[in-house]
Amino acid sequence: MSYPTTGQEVYVSLNLSNTMLTGIGKGTITREEVSASYLKRLFAEHGVIVSAKPEQRRILEIVNERYDLELNIPESLKLFQLSEEHRRLVVVEVTGLRRKNGSLLPEYSEEEFNEATFAFVKYYVQGTHYDTLVEENKKLKFELEQELEWRNRVDN
């Protein structure tokens, strides 16, 4: 399967860094663990762009083998920033592999790869900041209470 090019592709990475978030301005980010089948549907709808270092190629190949995601693995690192068009980031969480200073190593044995487990976390940037949503919710609740109070007075 080849995923479409939509202009609203989902970014896929093995990590989350602050620089990825600098293109979004003020907003709210939601985080949720998702399944591989969910990702296939998401990628089929929006497309996908993979950002990974060349030495992480084998990790992504294993992800493709295990979960049939058919990710195109870049030859070089593609840097990105989340933006109005690109609001989704999926981080492939890898556990069970040795790390140095919190970072994945350039090489692992096949035995180490066989021990690794993977999870997928989707981050989504909402254009409206959380504080604004809370205020809008308070206002709507107040208006609803006023309406109910008015209706109860009229009915009695």
Side-chain angles (χ1 to χ4, degrees), residues 15-29:
N15 65 4
L16 173 65
S17 73
N18 219 18
T19 58
M20 295 174 181
L21 306 175
T22 57
I24 58 174
K26 189 174 182 179
T28 298
I29 300 172

Side-chain angles (χ1 to χ4, degrees), residues 1-130:
M1 164 185 242
S2 178
Y3 297 117
T5 301
T6 64
Q8 297 181 342
E9 286 80 5
V10 178
Y11 289 117
V12 172
S13 182
L14 291 168
N15 65 4
L16 173 65
S17 73
N18 219 18
T19 58
M20 295 174 181
L21 306 175
T22 57
I24 58 174
K26 189 174 182 179
T28 298
I29 300 172
T30 58
R31 178 193 182 280
E32 68 176 311
E33 289 191 27
V34 294
S35 67
S37 58
Y38 171 86
L39 290 179
K40 288 178 193 177
R41 292 190 306 273
L42 186 69
F43 298 160
E45 181 178 345
H46 296 284
V48 62
I49 297 171
V50 177
S51 174
K53 296 175 184 172
E55 61 265 22
Q56 297 170 328
R57 179 176 198 80
R58 184 64 186 131
I59 294 172
L60 291 170
E61 289 172 347
I62 291 170
V63 168
N64 277 341
E65 291 167 13
R66 289 189 189 176
Y67 301 99
D68 194 31
L69 288 178
E70 300 180 39
L71 297 172
N72 287 329
I73 303 169
E75 294 299 319
S76 60
L77 177 63
K78 292 182 180 180
L79 298 176
F80 67 86
Q81 291 180 337
L82 295 176
S83 64
E84 288 301 311
E85 295 80 27
H86 300 280
R87 295 173 170 265
R88 294 172 186 84
L89 165 65
V90 173
V91 174
V92 179
E93 290 187 343
V94 184
T95 55
L97 293 178
R98 292 177 294 118
R99 294 172 188 263
K100 183 174 183 175
N101 297 327
S103 296
L104 292 167
L105 303 177
E107 292 184 13
Y108 295 98
S109 68
E110 282 304 310
E111 184 177 306
E112 288 175 301
F113 281 130
N114 290 336
E115 297 293 319
T117 58
F118 301 92
F120 306 101
V121 178
K122 181 184 83 170
Y123 294 86
Y124 180 75
V125 178
Q126 297 178 15
T128 307
H129 190 270
Y130 177 79

